[in-house]
Amino acid sequence: MIRKTLLASCIAMMLNASANGATVDEEIAALKARIDQLESEKASPKSEVEEKKDNSIKFGGAARFQYTYTDYDEKNEDRGGDLDFDLFRIDVDGNVGDVLFSAQYRWFQYMNVIHHAWVGYDFDENQQGKIGVTQVPFGILTYASNSYFFSSNFYLGLEDDYDLGLNYTYKSDANRLDLAFYKNDELGGLDGYVSDRSDRYAYDVVGVRLDGEGIYDVPTLEAGETNTFNARYVHNFVFDDVLLELGMSAQAGQLEIASDQDGDHFSGAVHGVVNYDRWNLKLQYTGYEYDVDGMDVEQMVVGAYGFYDSIPAEASSYIANIAYSLPVKIGPISNLTFYNDYSLVTDKSADLEDTFMNVTGVAITAGGLYTYVDFVVAENQPFIGGSMVGNGEVNKRVNINFGYYF
């Protein structure tokens, strides 16, 4: 095709030269320029098909199931445990030109929830901005834990939390800075158009626990976090074979109360993560406080996973987790990660009893199948027969959660 085009060009130039008396050198120069143009178009044509390649979209998801055996539920114990459907989820990630996007939606037996949904833009190789339902930059990321049950911070709304707002991230080899502003939680805050504010993936404050109310009651006085600012800074050190991450986080914002009272909340954390060979160590200290003007608040109401619970209005927490990753070749199994996660929640308001949770387990990777095998010992811990404001006994739970990721 290009040869035919060049032949036509040569004929046209010769005719033009005869008519106008142009020099041979001028015609040769013009012909060379035309050849260069045609060769360039042949090497890198900008067709509509190739333009579309700049846009990409990827779908994924998971289906998970769970076996549970507990010593605090007699019926479960008599049956020898229960096997239940856990969740089905759909993920979508990609870009349209320079605009990035990511979303995940989850279906449980008892609720359907948004996990995250945002659009973003890379200002350069070090800086990114996002808007939407994003992970709150606080403490150890992505998770301050290794097990299926997270740490106790998750049930306080201080691990793997997602809210609606703006994020900015700067990353280099040694440093990371996260700044964020959240207008409200992922369900629209106090005035969100939802039928049940407890149907959500991550824990958020949804009310003030009043005297006379039960631990799990729907709150009489509703509340929500609003106008929250987050800042998180991390520095990475390299000492021969040891990688050390040290970081600090702060979170501060307002509380919107249904009674038109003002309130505020503050959380702070310092953390360290050590990686050596196949070993990983996570350490974190966290403190938080909720205040409501004109009220001596001792407990707040949180909502998640289809029910309401209570947490102390003020507390401190400590996390100490260790893990060892072992590559193996056992049939389809390619990796075993052994871990022990320990959480302690103490210094609670109203002199409430401490919470502790210890999870010993192993995560098994076999192709797209990922399995947690956990043995949990805990006291006053949600999902282990207790509550953060309870005064219960030490409970135990064997939990096997397995799912296929596609």
Side-chain angles (χ1 to χ4, degrees), residues 3-19 27 31:
R3 290 182 179 179
K4 293 180 180 178
T5 305
L6 290 175
L7 178 60
S9 298
C10 290
I11 295 172
M13 287 181 178
M14 286 187 292
L15 292 174
N16 186 59
S18 300
E27 295 303 331
L31 181 58

Side-chain angles (χ1 to χ4, degrees), residues 16-29:
N16 186 59
S18 300
N20 299 305
T23 66
V24 174
D25 290 341
E26 289 174 342
E27 295 303 331
I28 292 175

Side-chain angles (χ1 to χ4, degrees), residues 193-398:
Y193 294 100
V194 294
S195 57
D196 190 337
R197 297 182 67 208
S198 69
D199 286 353
R200 68 181 75 213
Y201 162 76
Y203 280 83
D204 288 299
V205 166
V206 295
V208 178
R209 183 61 77 204
L210 302 178
D211 292 341
E213 293 183 347
I215 292 175
Y216 306 110
D217 287 351
V218 177
T220 302
L221 182 57
E222 294 187 325
E225 300 172 10
T226 186
N227 298 330
T228 300
F229 291 88
N230 279 79
R232 178 181 182 269
Y233 173 72
V234 164
H235 186 77
N236 296 294
F237 301 87
V238 179
F239 304 101
D240 294 328
D241 296 331
V242 177
L243 303 180
L244 171 63
E245 172 186 303
L246 294 179
M248 59 182 67
S249 308
Q251 174 177 286
Q254 297 174 306
L255 284 177
E256 185 179 12
I257 313 295
S259 60
D260 293 329
Q261 293 172 275
D262 292 327
D264 56 67
H265 63 96
F266 174 80
S267 306
V270 292
H271 77 265
V273 179
V274 180
N275 285 287
Y276 171 71
D277 194 26
R278 296 172 182 170
W279 291 94
N280 173 265
L281 175 68
K282 296 182 176 72
L283 302 171
Q284 181 172 315
Y285 165 79
T286 308
Y288 75 88
E289 183 177 0
Y290 293 90
D291 289 310
V292 178
D293 294 346
M295 295 182 65
D296 186 15
V297 176
E298 302 289 358
Q299 299 180 22
M300 303 298 294
V301 184
V302 292
Y305 295 94
F307 73 94
Y308 296 95
D309 202 346
S310 303
I311 64 170
E314 181 179 355
S316 300
S317 74
Y318 300 85
I319 296 170
N321 307 328
I322 190 165
Y324 181 80
S325 179
L326 179 64
V328 296
K329 291 184 179 180
I330 307 174
I333 300 174
S334 59
N335 188 267
L336 300 172
T337 301
F338 302 92
Y339 51 80
N340 192 89
D341 291 356
Y342 180 78
S343 302
L344 173 66
V345 183
T346 187
D347 300 324
K348 297 179 180 178
S349 54
D351 293 324
L352 293 165
E353 294 291 328
D354 291 350
T355 289
F356 86 85
M357 178 170 63
N358 192 87
V359 187
T360 303
V362 57
I364 305 168
T365 303
L369 183 66
Y370 197 80
T371 304
Y372 294 95
V373 180
D374 292 326
F375 175 63
V376 190
V377 180
E379 183 177 18
N380 301 322
Q381 170 65 45
F383 284 90
I384 315 296
S387 167
M388 287 284 176
V389 299
N391 184 18
E393 300 177 349
V394 175
N395 296 316
K396 304 177 184 67
R397 173 170 177 163
V398 175

